Amino acid sequence: MKNQEIPYKTYLTEQELPTAWYNLRADMKTKPAPLLNPGTGKPLTAQELTPIFCEELVRQELDNDTAFFPIPDEIRDFYKMYRPSPLVRAYCLEKVLDTPAKIYYKFEGNNTSGSHKLNSAIAQAYYAKQQGLKGVTTETGAGQWGTALSMACAYLGLDLKVFMVKVSYEQKPFRREVMRTYGASVTPSPSMETEVGRRILAEFPGTTGSLGCAISEAVEVAVKNPGYRYVLGSVLNQVLLHQSVIGLEAKAAFEKIGVKPDVIIGCAGGGSNLGGLIAPFMGEKLRGEADYRIIAVEPASCPSFTRGVFAYDFCDTGMICPLAKMYTLGSSFIPSANHAGGLRFHGMSTILSQLYHDGLMEARAVEQTAVFQAAEQFARCEGILPAPESSHAIRAAIDEALRCKETGEEKTILFGLTGTGYFDLTAYQQFNDGLMTDTIPTDEDLARSIAALPKVSVE
Ligand SMILES: *Cc1c(COP(=O)(O)O)cnc(C)c1O
């Protein structure tokens, strides 16, 4: 297909929606390290995980070998309300940048929750319902995950209790109201409702909270209440599995127009959108069928890949969750209150951590004002108001396209546009008023939280 014949948007039909999720682990030579029981230091068994997570999700979490998991019809039907999502050729951005690069983005913001998180929310709520549970508990940072899960739970008639990081609860009251409209109960975290919340408040009075802390509270409530389980919107293997629908659709759309990307870029918080976007491409790379440059983009204020260590760590601040081997800044690390709320987690998916450790992908950290400059440039020419998280990927995509301009290379760049920024207008306001700053942790800050990593010896 000639360049000018490539449409602005390539959609798959409903019939072409993937029928199975792809499990990247099946093709990894070095599998991600298992989750460990913090008490015994031994790999967690399904039996130990089922008090926390739904049974089917435990099965998905622990399965390193099955390449494809069929997507149940009920979930595919829900997907059809907002999927397939478009693969967009960013002609206008290319023109503004005057680059020979060809830029594409996969847009996941076309649903009320405004992000890709709904792809896993509906799956997790579905399996909870299947198991006959009353409800689920979770944490949310910026609020996208809580919103997505509240939509999924409302659809299926499940009860939902959300612990929302306090700084977001206060900065993003509108997100909170969307969740409540969909029937969720929302509590600012840390709260006095849980033992771990009370302990953290006693130790750090006035803390604005963190994802790790909200996770501890949500897990505690799930474990203590019969008929409830905990669900998590990122980081876990099962979440990356569900998010593979993004990459599978993107790959099928590229095949429709006869194009192959050279560079694939995504923002990385806990790693779910990036893991999902790259899944089938990375699969080809792992099987030696194709090669792609893959770039994870994270905030300079929470640089897990680029300044963290690859070690076993807790996923939560309260240190009650399993230990995961990942790139981490230490579970006691609380990033400055930046605006990319979805990218403030101290750790990273074990799958992506292993791939990065094995040299199969790159990572870079970008500063907040540079991210918003990219967001502004993108919004003005492509029309979509991007989420601050997504704008990390935009920043890197623009930088790659500008590099192509220097070298004259006609690279094809794909990036994940994970969501919209309508609930992030306080951040845009700061940027527009010239009041935005870049906060980068010092080496001493990081050394302190990294020194507090649990000591784990695994044979
Ligand atoms: C949550 C979120 C992210 C980051 O989460 P990942 O699990 O790393 O994908 C990125 N973009 C948006 C819009 C989000 O809501």
Side-chain angles (χ1 to χ4, degrees):
M1 210 183 268
K2 281 213 300 290
N3 194 25
Q4 57 268 34
E5 289 168 0
I6 288 176
Y8 272 71
K9 284 185 184 162
T10 306
Y11 281 101
L12 302 178
T13 64
E14 269 179 25
Q15 290 70 35
E16 289 168 321
L17 225 162
T19 52
W21 294 299
Y22 167 60
N23 180 11
L24 182 53
R25 286 167 285 167
D27 284 308
M28 289 172 70
K29 283 188 199 78
T30 315
K31 306 291 182 193
L35 296 173
L36 300 184
N37 179 324
T40 64
K42 296 230 160 60
L44 275 165
T45 60
Q47 207 181 0
E48 291 170 299
L49 284 168
T50 40
I52 307 176
F53 298 117
C54 307
E55 282 155 26
E56 175 57 25
L57 294 169
V58 168
R59 198 169 75 79
Q60 295 180 1
E61 189 63 31
L62 297 179
D63 190 331
N64 283 339
D65 304 306
T66 308
F68 289 96
F69 284 81
I71 305 176
D73 285 342
E74 293 87 337
I75 299 178
R76 277 188 95 229
D77 286 345
F78 186 88
Y79 278 169
K80 285 176 192 167
M81 290 198 279
Y82 68 102
R83 308 199 68 82
S85 74
L87 177 72
V88 186
R89 174 76 185 267
Y91 279 119
C92 308
L93 180 62
E94 288 171 21
K95 199 163 159 218
V96 166
L97 298 174
D98 189 25
T99 173
K102 296 167 183 61
I103 309 175
Y104 292 83
Y105 57 89
K106 178 78 170 153
F107 181 47
E108 290 293 319
N110 258 337
N111 66 77
T112 294
S113 75
S115 82
H116 65 287
K117 295 209 169 68
L118 197 52
N119 301 331
S120 184
I122 186 61
Q124 297 195 46
Y126 170 80
Y127 292 118
K129 185 78 184 176
Q130 282 292 94
Q131 199 179 317
L133 298 175
K134 270 192 270 181
V136 290
T137 70
T138 198
E139 79 297 327
T140 196
Q144 288 97 323
W145 168 245
T147 312
L149 191 63
S150 65
M151 288 173 70
C153 287
Y155 181 77
L156 295 169
L158 270 180
D159 187 36
L160 170 61
K161 180 151 183 68
V162 181
F163 287 90
M164 185 171 188
V165 177
K166 191 182 275 168
V167 59
S168 304
Y169 185 90
E170 283 157 6
Q171 275 182 3
K172 302 189 174 184
F174 296 139
R175 277 244 175 246
R176 184 180 77 210
E177 292 318 313
V178 180
M179 285 184 256
R180 292 178 60 206
T181 303
Y182 281 98
S185 88
V186 188
T187 307
S189 165
S191 77
M192 296 299 283
E193 288 182 24
T194 63
E195 254 169 56
V196 62
R198 289 189 289 272
R199 194 172 79 211
I200 290 168
L201 281 173
E203 201 176 332
F204 307 98
T207 174
T208 52
S210 70
L211 264 187
C213 166
I215 293 174
S216 304
E217 294 204 81
V219 171
E220 184 183 319
V221 171
V223 172
K224 284 186 178 165
N225 288 283
Y228 283 77
R229 291 292 184 282
Y230 165 71
V231 293
L232 178 65
S234 182
V235 187
L236 295 174
N237 297 339
Q238 52 183 280
V239 184
L240 269 74
L241 175 71
H242 306 146
Q243 295 297 357
S244 69
V245 70
I246 305 173
L248 292 165
E249 281 183 12
K251 191 150 182 295
F254 271 127
E255 279 160 12
K256 258 192 175 178
I257 53 174
V259 172
K260 245 182 181 318
D262 300 301
V263 187
I264 305 173
I265 300 171
C267 62
S272 75
N273 87 82
L274 179 63
L277 177 68
I278 67 173
F281 301 100
M282 182 60 92
E284 284 187 320
K285 184 166 169 158
L286 290 166
R287 297 190 301 270
E289 296 164 8
D291 198 14
Y292 302 96
R293 239 185 101 202
I294 291 168
I295 308 173
V297 193
E298 58 188 14
S301 56
C302 192
S304 329
F305 270 134
T306 53
R307 293 175 71 197
V309 291
F310 188 40
Y312 267 105
D313 192 13
F314 289 98
C315 293
D316 63 326
T317 314
M319 304 197 267
I320 59 173
C321 284
L323 294 164
K325 190 173 180 196
M326 57 187 175
Y327 278 85
T328 178
L329 300 168
S331 66
S332 60
F333 179 75
I334 297 191
S336 68
N338 75 24
H339 292 293
L343 306 182
R344 295 180 78 230
F345 184 60
H346 64 272
M348 185 57 64
S349 140
T350 59
I351 296 175
L352 294 187
S353 293
Q354 191 63 51
L355 292 169
Y356 179 65
H357 190 70
D358 292 342
L360 290 156
M361 53 183 273
E362 306 163 30
R364 68 175 68 156
V366 290
E367 291 177 25
Q368 187 161 241
T369 40
V371 165
F372 275 79
Q373 278 156 6
E376 180 190 79
Q377 189 167 36
F378 180 84
R380 288 184 185 179
C381 61
E382 289 289 324
I384 296 169
L385 183 77
E389 292 88 349
S390 322
S391 305
H392 287 67
I394 301 177
R395 175 73 271 160
I398 290 178
D399 290 345
E400 285 303 309
L402 291 175
R403 187 163 312 151
C404 287
K405 186 173 168 179
E406 276 171 28
T407 61
E409 285 174 292
E410 294 185 18
K411 294 266 194 243
T412 297
I413 299 168
L414 165 65
F415 73 89
L417 186 67
T418 50
T420 47
Y422 304 119
F423 289 108
D424 301 285
L425 293 171
T426 328
Y428 277 97
Q429 182 180 12
Q430 273 195 16
F431 176 72
N432 293 332
D433 289 343
L435 299 174
M436 185 166 274
T437 53
D438 297 313
T439 342
I440 302 173
T442 63
D443 288 342
E444 293 74 53
D445 290 337
L446 296 183
R448 204 173 313 125
S449 56
I450 287 171
L453 283 175
K455 305 282 173 283
V456 183
S457 54
V458 199
E459 62 277 10

